[in-house]
Amino acid sequence: MKKIDPKFKKKDSYLKNNLNSIPDLTIVSQFFAPDYAATGQLLDDLSKRLIEKDKTIKVLTGYPSYAIKVKDCPQREFFKKREIIRTRYSNFWPKKYHGRLINSILFSIFTSIKLFRRSNSGKITLFTSEPPFLPIFGWLISFFNKTPYILVIYDLYPEIIVNLNLLSRNNLIVFLWKIINRKVFSKANNIIVLSSAIKKKLINSYPNIQSKIKVIPSWADTEKIKPLLKDKNWFIKKYNLRDKFVILYSGNQGRGHDFDTIMKCCLYLNKIKDIKFVFIGGGVKNKIIRKFAKDNKLNNCIFLPYQAYDQLSNTLTSADLAFVTISSGMQSMIAPSKLYGHLAAGSCIALISPIKCYL
């Protein structure tokens, strides 16, 4: 059980003494720092940069559960004109598919209740696609309290569900979801997507929202992630990688990423002792990758959990080659944020994607 960084416990007297004031922006996302999910880390960075511009921020989020669990994470905290309110409903059930679904629904209901009154929503509210149906709740809240809202679409739903064959294109849930999306998108003040490919896909599906869509890619903090020599890298020393050619996959090992190609590489190069494949992170495909390595007696694979965010310079610069992957058909629905971390680290990148992928 990981303990929270002390910096997240600091209190800001301005916000604490002005709880009834309306914040400039309210951010709603199930994932937020100190969780290692890219969504939460990027929003944390965004909110800190807005604070530097003298904006007041309220964040409604869940307890860390995506990559870590923090035992003593405060339910409510104040830090430099930013108030963060967390709910335990976001990790009420174990990490199973149906449990995560229930957690997401409970989180959406919790935030809806919190935001029902206009004074609680701030001057404008930012909703993310984490969880996927949160924008629908955002639209309903705005309908009742008349607060304008912005959508940040990290992953495009229900299109992803159809592409992964979890539901058919003609499924009633998909049909209704798309109808509701038309309302949700048309009423949003702005819609932010991570790539031009996702923008194009959105416009093809919902042509009347073209003027609302802005492309703002993810980013990396180049003050925190910098190139680092291997002989000064504790990560390299700890895992005996000093004389190895390190091929790294760091981040979510999810359904939208191609691991078949990577595992074939591991199998093909298994007899070359100087090559190590390092997998950092987790996800629904993590067990599949581990099983493949075990069944094929691969001794060139190292599996590690998510590493501390402030150690990214060490983990990312351990790579002689870093994998960034997108499965076939997913290039217009997701955008891997890990790309920017590897660029900041100065890593050589191997891209596995469809030929016409925007990357």
Side-chain angles (χ1 to χ4, degrees), residues 47-105:
S47 65
K48 289 176 180 176
R49 293 172 189 270
L50 290 173
I51 288 169
E52 292 173 1
K53 296 182 179 294
D54 203 32
K55 303 297 182 183
T56 53
I57 309 294
K58 177 187 283 187
V59 180
L60 296 179
T61 186
Y63 275 78
S65 63
Y66 179 85
I68 59 169
K69 288 186 177 180
V70 179
K71 186 177 181 180
D72 57 353
C73 193
Q75 184 177 10
R76 195 172 193 177
E77 60 181 301
F78 309 89
F79 179 61
K80 290 185 178 178
K81 296 189 177 183
R82 183 180 68 173
E83 178 186 11
I84 301 175
I85 301 173
R86 295 184 175 88
T87 173
R88 294 191 182 278
Y89 291 124
S90 62
N91 56 359
F92 201 72
W93 266 272
K95 280 189 173 183
K96 294 182 180 180
Y97 178 77
H98 293 95
R100 291 197 299 269
L101 178 62
I102 294 171
N103 291 341
S104 297
I105 293 172

Side-chain angles (χ1 to χ4, degrees), residues 165-338:
N165 296 317
L166 298 176
L167 291 175
S168 71
R169 192 176 301 276
N170 299 321
N171 185 279
L172 179 60
I173 294 175
V174 173
F175 177 75
L176 293 175
W177 199 334
K178 285 191 172 183
I179 290 177
I180 296 173
N181 272 353
R182 290 192 186 99
K183 282 287 186 182
V184 173
F185 295 152
S186 65
K187 296 298 181 182
N189 280 44
N190 288 108
I191 301 169
I192 298 170
V193 297
L194 305 186
S195 73
S196 56
I198 298 177
K199 177 180 178 178
K200 184 177 179 180
K201 181 74 173 180
L202 260 182
I203 293 172
N204 288 339
S205 300
Y206 313 96
N208 63 316
I209 65 169
Q210 182 170 355
S211 62
K212 296 175 180 283
I213 304 175
K214 309 293 182 183
V215 177
I216 303 178
S218 296
W219 62 89
D221 188 338
T222 53
E223 292 301 314
K224 293 181 179 178
I225 305 175
K226 299 178 179 180
L228 182 67
L229 294 175
K230 284 196 172 188
D231 59 2
K232 295 183 179 180
N233 190 332
W234 67 263
F235 184 85
I236 291 286
K237 296 175 183 177
K238 181 176 180 179
Y239 294 102
N240 299 316
L241 300 172
R242 188 190 300 272
D243 300 319
K244 306 296 182 184
F245 186 87
V246 178
I247 303 176
L248 175 69
Y249 183 94
S250 177
N252 178 37
Q253 296 156 24
R255 293 186 177 93
H257 304 284
D258 180 348
F259 286 99
D260 291 340
T261 304
I262 295 177
M263 296 318 297
K264 288 177 183 176
C265 290
C266 294
L267 183 61
Y268 185 77
L269 299 172
N270 191 38
K271 293 182 179 181
I272 303 178
K273 295 181 180 180
D274 293 337
I275 296 178
K276 285 291 182 183
F277 289 82
V278 179
F279 296 87
I280 299 176
V284 294
K285 287 190 175 181
N286 181 265
K287 290 183 179 180
I288 297 174
I289 302 168
R290 286 175 178 267
K291 186 177 185 302
F292 182 92
K294 183 178 180 180
D295 291 347
N296 289 277
K297 299 180 180 179
L298 301 181
N299 53 24
N300 59 352
C301 296
I302 299 174
F303 296 94
L304 300 172
Y306 283 98
Q307 304 294 297
Y309 179 72
D310 59 3
Q311 297 298 330
L312 278 178
S313 278
N314 291 276
T315 58
L316 297 184
T317 56
S318 69
D320 294 291
L321 188 66
F323 274 126
V324 176
T325 77
I326 294 184
S327 296
S328 179
M330 299 295 288
Q331 63 270 24
S332 60
M333 301 176 201
I334 64 173
S337 299
K338 63 174 63 64

